[in-house]
Amino acid sequence: MFDLILTQTLNGLASASSLFLVASGLSIIFGVTRIVNFAHGSLYMLGAYIAWTLVSRFGPADALGFWGGVVLAALLVGMIGVVIEVLILRRIYQAPELFQLLATFGVVLMLQDLTLATWGAEDKLGPRAPGFKSFVILFGNRFPTYELFLIAVGPLVLLVLWLLFQKTRWGTLVRAATQDREMVGALGVNQRLLFTSVFFFGAMLAGLGGALQLPREAVNLHMDLAMISEAFVVVVVGGLGSVTGAYLAAILIGILHAFGILIFPKITLVLVFLVMAVVLVVKPYGLMGKAPVGHARGHGPAEPLLLPADNLTKLAGLIGLAVLALAPLVAPDHILLTLTELVIFALFAASLHFMMGPGGMASFGHAAYFGLGAYGAALAVKWLGAPMEPALLFAPFLAGIAGVVFGWFCVRLSGVYLAMLTLAFAQIAWATAFQWVEVTGGDNGILGVWPSSWAASKFAFYYLALIICAASILALRLTIFSPLGYALRAARDNPLRSEAIGIDVMRIQWIAFIVAAFAAGIAGALFAFFKGSVFPTYMAIPRSVDALLMVLLGGVQTVSGPIVGAFAFAGLSEQLMKATMYWRFVLGFSIVLLVIAFPRGLVGASLLGLERWRGRPEAAAKPVLATEAGR
Amino acid sequence: MTIDRRNFLAGASAGVTLIAAPSLVRAQGTGPIKVGEINSYTAQPAFLKPYRQGWELALEQINAAGGALGRKIETVFRDDGGKPEDAVRHAGDLINAEKVDLLSGGFLSNVGLAIADFALQNKKLYVASEPLSDALVWAKGNRYTFRLRPSTYMQAAMLVEEAAKLPAKKWAVVAPNYEYGQSAVKWFKELLKKAKPDVEFVAEQFPALGRIDAGATVQALEASKPDAIFNVTFGADLSNFVRQGNTRGLFEGRVVASMLTGEPEYLDPLGAEAPVGWIVTGYPQAEIKTPEHVKFRDAYMAKFSDYPRLGSVVGFDTMNSIAAALTKAGSTDTEKLVDALKGLEFPSAFGQAEYRAVDHQSTLGAYVGRTAVKDGKGVMVDWTYRDGAKYLPADDVVKTLRPAG
């Protein structure tokens, strides 16, 4: 038993090394540039692919060929990081955090398809490392020497990083920028060069992490997302910006994995995110992290005032609704199906907007509540034998209850930490659905969640969805202009002043969180009956990103934006998926363009254009006022 | 929100015109017959690239001979990316927008089950080619779903026949944690216990598909000191598992019974590291000399300048069985097609096979043998063909397993 514990500890330490390399790069980049680089997992994957190509070309049996290939691959990935930084990220350092996160997610999508196009879809089994092909006997078990080598790499890199940061001018600048980058800029340091070099360095570490995996596992196209979600956990648990913290967290997660397999083989995925949530709740800035100086909150442009609809807007909304209501009379079946989906997504987007726009709480895991709504409906049908009507009523409460619990913790944080905690909770929900096979069916999902016979026709279900979604969206809209909505916006714009005039900020935000979760649950339940089945993918990261994209495409600072955004995004991505095999690339590219060119979203941009065209003097004055208020 | 009224009205009326535009009405019985084929082309390329090539070979041969019902057959391919959610969306789109006459495909078992449920709800025929879960034709079987490949039950039964001859008493299992893995393990355990009541199962590992932590998993299996191992992993999981297992000596002095490992798509990537002496189901493509197979293999090599994988056979046979069903039904009507498929005999690259009327499972078999390494490549030796019909329970047992009848 004792020997098994020791061996499994070593296994955990070996897996921790690659995780640490990726996570430390991510952490350094965040510390200096304040960008949470979603594409870091993709750089890790590229490292593995490039190393595979180089090593096969240089001759895998030759020590120089192998190690030369690995090092060169890491350097090349560093260069790719520089290209990404110069072409994309440099333009969005001033944008709100969420936009940056989205832009890097766009890069993930693009790199996924570029990798597919370059290396093909087949898995690549790399060669074993020369000099490390064998094993040693440790504690009565055979243990691969390469794993021992990996165990040594972690502390070695940590040492190098420490020397670099303590003993060189560059390292000092990086540490200074991590503490207060405005001050570093004010003191005359070339920020551009610093940021680019940091990005090169971080990307190189990720590439090295990938290249070192070559003898360990087959290189494949799913490495990027698998790694990035773990690396996020490590960085957040360790404390954003702290390299030592990242090392401790990587070891913690690696060992947790190794023993999880031994003790709880069926809940390994949940364990990791559970640890992350617990750490964030107990130590919001991670094990070794410090509360950020100055920039706890986003520093994007201040939010403009929201105004209740004037008559023209009401008319437009009414016409839009009328068109949707009359559409089934002329639309063929497949258009009707698309419209049903769009209507449901509009509610999903509106619910996210409610907490993100007026609430100022950017959620990176909103799919959890959509998925819980869907699972609520499906579980009611499967385990309680409920027909559609009670299941539809029950489902949003499951999402709402999750909102009560998760929200209570989330509203205690703000900005990127809040987004990370919502992500952790969403991943817990996802992992539970994925691994609790007895109840949720795991990866098989729950099938046979079909509507009652009166609503089974496409025609009837469309009207059911339209009525429920339109009513819910209107209710959300009314809430935004209710006293609760005003209090919420006050809390977003200035928490201190709001507290001073007697608004319980956390409570208001908590309520908004719950309302948003509940509304997303309604959308999810409808979606379950619409598709007839639910799967864990309903609450996976890509669905949360979809929701964010819909809101941002429409514009966060407008009330109708998310609805327009939902129609634009869902319509576009469906057409794309049919039109080209490389739809991910096109979608990713559009996201990046959107973030760079239309940071206010479609509705926001058109509103701005309209105001300029009308030349209203008060419109010009408004942003100034809003900026003042935002401070 | 404020939108300029003129622009809005123009946009709205354009939208209405677009929706109202008379969609192309396809006269029944004149255009090509359309098959909607959904598969995990990008998620499982090792199997599905050859699958698609085998499919296209069959399609070319059928259309060159005049198609079916005097019409050409056409395929609309869709990629589900290994996600049941996407498969269901494609199925809806294929039926409603593309107006396909029937659905086919599916690789992962959970994807197959999702499409089967969709087919039942929409009363459309679904010919499942690869999803192996027995639930597809038994526990969740329905009138509209048929399946070509030998199921988890059949392949487990074939392996159990060999495994029961071994002296091994303590078994450990490792399987991907989704429908296929769970179902294979369930039947292997049940059938082996029946054949040899004194066996015990000492360890189980269910890594998530595509996410095996091979070192720790191997160690956990090693710790239970089994006499033999039953493996259900495939693809990248298998490669990682075999490499760690080889280095850590997990397979030394132990026999491994393994699903699908003899298929070239999973054996070839292992190269010289391929395991030796495993009892596997698979496809020794270069050595099968039956006339049907030689004819198929020659045609395939001529068209693609590459040797066939098992996926090629599955794609080829699925298309051929669909064509045979269309000819027998004399119509593209779903109900008539379903009736035609019950008891349909069709030519396969492994010889004649039949879709059983009792449970819609085809009697296509599999090759069982041992793995070996020859010239730095994994191969199958001592193999024999096992006819699928012999590895299914009696009809009255099947009826109790299949509530749908």
Side-chain angles (χ1 to χ4, degrees), chain A residues 396-419:
Chain A
F397 284 95
L398 188 66
I401 291 169
V404 171
V405 178
F406 296 169
W408 191 83
F409 294 110
C410 289
V411 296
R412 265 135 242 276
L413 303 176
S414 63
V416 80
Y417 293 90
L418 183 142

Side-chain angles (χ1 to χ4, degrees), chain B residues 132-177:
Chain B
L132 297 184
S133 168
D134 61 275
L136 196 65
V137 291
W138 292 349
K140 292 182 183 154
N142 66 54
R143 174 173 163 78
Y144 298 95
T145 303
F146 291 79
R147 192 245 315 276
L148 180 85
R149 281 275 322 259
S151 65
T152 44
Y153 177 92
M154 294 156 79
Q155 302 209 32
M158 293 171 194
L159 289 175
V160 161
E161 196 176 39
E162 297 302 312
K165 295 176 191 160
L166 303 169
K169 288 212 167 52
K170 283 159 72 182
W171 285 77
V173 299
V174 53
N177 195 11

